[in-house]
Amino acid sequence: MIISLGAGALVALMVRLNATLGVHMGVVASSWVVHVVGTLFAALLWAARAVLDPRRPRPIDWRSIPWYAWTGGVLGVAIVALANAVVPVLGLALTLSIVIATSLTVSALADHFGWFGLPVHRMTVRTALGIVCIVAGVVCVTLG
């Protein structure tokens, strides 16, 4: 849970920094730069892991990877581009509150129905109430 809290803080910072690039470079160019820099950083982490943990990695069974798993990068570009366009207009808090409410709703549905091979976790009344509370929070943020 602590790692998730840190990730949440990083998401807020990332969205703000990416939107700043978007203002200066344009939505598409900034999304491209963000992903090139991210690719370089991921390559650095991959190389560092190879040095720090030189055990041979297990072979990848490329055929076992579902087709939809390859679309994450496309969705990442779309998310960054959309956020870069929206944050300067709506602000960071409203943008992220809408993103979080939508993400939680879609995540709860994906868990409930087992989309994309997820184990099924049925939605409970408490989960639905949590989503309603978060949507109410979005309304509060919207009204300022």
Side-chain angles (χ1 to χ4, degrees), residues 83-111:
N84 288 358
V86 172
V87 168
V89 177
L90 297 182
L92 188 58
L94 181 54
T95 299
L96 283 180
S97 65
I98 293 168
V99 167
I100 291 166
T102 307
S103 295
L104 179 61
T105 302
V106 172
S107 298
L109 291 170
D111 279 347

Side-chain angles (χ1 to χ4, degrees), residues 2-120:
I2 291 171
I3 292 171
S4 294
L5 289 170
L10 291 176
V11 166
L13 293 173
M14 176 196 69
V15 170
R16 177 63 247 167
L17 296 172
N18 291 350
T20 300
L21 271 180
V23 167
H24 291 281
M25 302 179 74
V27 170
V28 175
S30 63
S31 181
W32 186 84
V33 167
V34 163
H35 286 87
V36 167
V37 171
T39 299
L40 294 173
F41 184 65
L44 179 67
L45 291 176
W46 195 9
R49 183 174 184 270
V51 170
L52 298 173
D53 185 8
R55 292 176 288 178
R56 186 177 183 155
R58 64 180 175 88
I60 299 170
D61 179 8
W62 297 96
R63 291 172 292 174
S64 70
I65 300 172
W67 68 268
Y68 52 80
W70 297 100
T71 64
V74 174
L75 298 177
V77 169
I79 290 165
V80 170
L82 292 169
N84 288 358
V86 172
V87 168
V89 177
L90 297 182
L92 188 58
L94 181 54
T95 299
L96 283 180
S97 65
I98 293 168
V99 167
I100 291 166
T102 307
S103 295
L104 179 61
T105 302
V106 172
S107 298
L109 291 170
D111 279 347
H112 184 79
F113 294 109
W115 293 344
F116 305 110
L118 287 169
V120 173

